[in-house]
């Protein structure tokens, strides 16, 4: 009985290449013989499982026949091998001339279905997702905003309500698939002869066809048009953040679900404020005399108002002065960030003799 490589690595049979690699690295690190508590036998078993499951061809053979060997579970027995150990397909009733290798996907699809594993059948195509960019100001990001945008895309045909046919003429059962929406066909592959279920090409899986194709959409159920979308922008939204609006994308085929719309919000640079997360940085010119006299400094706010701040004694002007709660709203939580004031020292244009004398007296008193 073959080893269960999936169980050895602790992954599902549907695991991706990355999941298999991640599981192998974790276990190899744990059981490596050079590590304390390592297990050489277990390590070799893990390595063997990874060698098979990380190789696409070996994994297909293993999933199909329980072995990764190229003879595919004993096709070579009974004199059926050809040159180099490969099966001689003519012994199975196939010739190189009659074999079509053009669609390897169909070959494996029919093979797995013949083993009782049904492939996922297609239905009508869901509409494509769309993405648009909406620019807003920093003030709109602060307050929140409602925007209305118009998007040119494929929309549902209202003449036939997305059904692709003239509703007044009605629909009839598809003769090709007898109303089943799918057809079964016999197909020969180099694995043998298998029965395959396919989407009906006549009705595209609907099981019925219109007596009269819709003249407006030519049977697609959608036409070129325009959507008008209302976008609610939350307070404190971040730059480049995506807003998903379900079913606001392109219409699907013949009544299938529409795609989604993704709105990427871009916040325009501000002439006063620089945003750092939920904090705002503002530059402020500071007159040296105002500083020496201890005057309060007027600072603009993002809300459109002004506040007066006092510079604390011994404050290092190389640092930013923090004004708590005057930044941006914190998205998804209460409260606001802070405003950070970056002072730019400006010397007066000219000092009077009286002012110089006063400064000299201040210097002496220090």
């Amino acid at each position: 009985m073959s080893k269960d490589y999936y169980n050895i690595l602790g992954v599902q049979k549907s695991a991706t290449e990355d999941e298999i690699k991640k599981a192998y690295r974790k276990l190899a690190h744990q059981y490596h013989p050079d590590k304390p508590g390592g297990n050489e036998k277990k390590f070799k078993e893990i390595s063997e499982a990874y060698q098979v499951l990380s190789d696409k061809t070996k994994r297909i053979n293993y999933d199909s026949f329980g072995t990764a060997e190229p003879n595919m579970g004993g096709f070579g027995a009974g004199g059926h091998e050809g040159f180099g150990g490969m099966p001689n397909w003519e012994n199975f009733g196939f010739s190189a001339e009659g074999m079509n290798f053009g669609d390897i996907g169909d070959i494996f699809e029919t093979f797995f279905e013949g083993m009782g594993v049904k492939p996922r059948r297609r239905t009508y195509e869901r509409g494509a997702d769309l993405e648009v960019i909406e620019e807003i100001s920093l003030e709109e990001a602060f307050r929140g905003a409602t925007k209305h945008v118009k998007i040119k895309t494929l929309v549902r045909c209202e003449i036939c309500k997305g059904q692709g046919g003239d509703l007044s003429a009605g629909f009839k059962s598809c003769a090709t698939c007898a109303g089943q929406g799918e057809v079964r066909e016999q197909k020969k592959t180099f694995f043998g002869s298998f029965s395959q279920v396919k989407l009906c090409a006549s009705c595209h899986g609907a099981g019925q066809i219109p007596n009269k194709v819709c003249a407006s959409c030519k049977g697609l159920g959608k036409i070129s048009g325009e959507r008008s979308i209302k976008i609610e922008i939350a307070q404190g939204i971040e730059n480049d953040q995506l807003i998903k609006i379900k079913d606001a994308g392109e219409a699907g085929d013949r009544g299938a679900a529409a795609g989604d719309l993704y709105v990427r919000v871009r916040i325009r640079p501000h002439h006063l404020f620089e945003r750092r997360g939920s904090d705002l940085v503002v530059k402020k010119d500071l007159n040296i005399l105002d500083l020496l006299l201890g005057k309060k400094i007027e600072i603009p706010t993002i809300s459109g108002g002004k506040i007066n701040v006092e510079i604390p004694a011994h404050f290092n002007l190389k640092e930013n002065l923090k004004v708590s709660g005057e930044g941006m709203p914190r998205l998804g939580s209460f409260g606001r960030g802070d405003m950070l004031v970056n002072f730019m020292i400006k010397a007066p244009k000219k000092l009077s003799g009286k002012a110089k004398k006063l400064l000299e007296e201040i210097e002496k008193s220090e």
Side-chain angles (χ1 to χ4, degrees):
M1 188 175 181
S2 62
K3 296 179 181 179
D4 188 345
Y5 291 145
Y6 292 102
N7 186 50
I8 290 171
L9 293 182
V11 297
Q12 298 293 323
K13 194 171 183 180
S14 59
T16 63
E17 291 181 15
D18 286 341
E19 289 171 338
I20 289 171
K21 185 183 293 185
K22 185 177 180 181
Y24 165 71
R25 287 178 175 174
K26 179 181 177 181
L27 292 172
H29 180 78
Q30 179 181 350
Y31 291 104
H32 196 283
D34 294 340
K35 290 191 172 289
N39 186 317
E40 184 176 354
K41 182 179 179 182
K42 183 71 174 177
F43 180 77
K44 288 181 178 179
E45 192 176 49
I46 292 164
S47 298
E48 178 186 337
Y50 178 70
Q51 286 176 5
V52 171
L53 299 185
S54 63
D55 185 294
K56 290 182 179 179
T57 303
K58 290 181 179 180
R59 185 176 179 182
I60 289 174
N61 289 338
Y62 174 73
D63 289 344
S64 304
F65 310 104
T67 176
E69 296 302 317
N71 62 14
M72 299 183 187
F75 272 175
H80 291 299
E81 285 188 352
F83 179 75
M86 291 300 292
N88 187 338
W89 302 112
E90 293 183 6
N91 291 331
F92 290 91
F94 300 101
S95 65
E97 294 179 357
M99 292 175 67
N100 179 12
F101 293 93
D103 189 354
I104 195 69
D106 277 353
I107 291 173
F108 283 107
E109 185 177 289
T110 55
F111 173 72
F112 287 127
E113 186 173 346
M115 295 182 68
V117 181
K118 290 189 177 182
R120 182 174 62 87
R121 298 189 182 117
R122 293 182 301 156
T123 57
Y124 284 132
E125 293 292 336
R126 173 182 177 272
D129 292 338
L130 302 176
E131 181 176 327
V132 296
I133 294 174
E134 181 66 17
E135 280 197 351
I136 64 172
S137 66
L138 186 61
E139 285 84 357
E140 287 175 316
F142 170 74
R143 296 188 299 266
T146 299
K147 295 286 186 176
H148 296 271
V149 298
K150 290 185 177 180
I151 303 164
K152 290 185 177 180
T153 184
L154 292 173
V155 298
R156 188 180 80 154
C157 176
E158 292 303 324
I159 302 298
C160 65
K161 306 301 180 186
Q163 298 304 307
D166 188 333
L167 298 179
S168 61
F171 295 78
K172 62 183 178 182
S173 179
C174 176
T176 304
C177 65
Q180 297 301 307
E182 56 190 21
V183 292
R184 183 178 293 275
E185 64 179 27
Q186 203 76 12
K187 193 167 185 178
K188 288 184 177 181
T189 73
F190 54 75
F191 291 116
S193 182
F194 298 101
S195 178
Q196 182 181 24
V197 175
K198 280 193 169 183
L199 196 74
C200 177
S202 299
C203 65
H204 303 285
Q208 57 180 7
I209 56 177
N211 289 315
K212 184 179 179 183
V213 174
C214 176
S216 177
C217 66
K218 305 296 189 278
L220 289 176
K222 54 186 179 181
I223 57 174
S224 295
E226 190 176 73
R227 287 190 189 278
S228 182
I229 308 295
K230 180 181 177 182
I231 305 169
E232 295 292 345
I233 297 175
Q235 291 180 328
I237 194 165
E238 299 281 352
N239 183 55
D240 226 28
Q241 186 169 333
L242 282 174
I243 300 174
K244 177 182 175 181
I245 304 175
K246 188 172 174 57
D247 300 330
E250 181 185 289
D253 292 345
R254 297 190 182 182
D260 300 325
L261 174 66
Y262 291 87
V263 181
R264 188 176 296 277
V265 178
R266 293 273 169 83
I267 302 174
R268 292 188 292 271
H270 198 274
H271 66 288
L272 286 179
F273 299 100
E274 175 194 344
R275 184 175 184 178
R276 295 180 186 172
S278 59
D279 295 335
L280 292 174
V281 179
V282 60
K283 292 183 178 180
K284 178 65 179 178
D285 290 338
L286 178 63
N287 190 301
I288 189 66
L289 293 178
D290 290 339
L291 175 64
L292 293 174
L293 293 171
K295 287 185 177 181
K296 289 188 176 182
I297 311 301
E298 188 177 80
I299 307 293
T301 64
I302 187 62
S303 60
K306 296 180 185 297
I307 57 173
N308 293 314
V309 299
E310 186 175 341
I311 300 177
H314 305 294
F315 179 73
N316 186 353
L317 291 173
K318 291 183 179 180
E319 298 178 355
N320 292 327
L321 179 66
K322 183 171 76 172
V323 183
S324 299
E326 287 294 336
M328 297 291 288
R330 293 190 174 95
L331 189 63
S333 62
F334 296 104
R336 290 169 56 182
D338 303 322
M339 182 160 63
L340 307 174
V341 185
N342 182 8
F343 289 111
M344 315 292 290
I345 302 296
K346 295 190 72 175
K349 291 181 179 179
K350 187 177 180 181
L351 283 176
S352 66
K354 186 178 181 179
K356 284 184 179 179
K357 186 177 180 180
L358 178 61
L359 289 174
E360 288 171 355
E361 290 179 0
I362 293 174
E363 185 181 22
K364 290 177 182 178
S365 65
E366 285 294 324

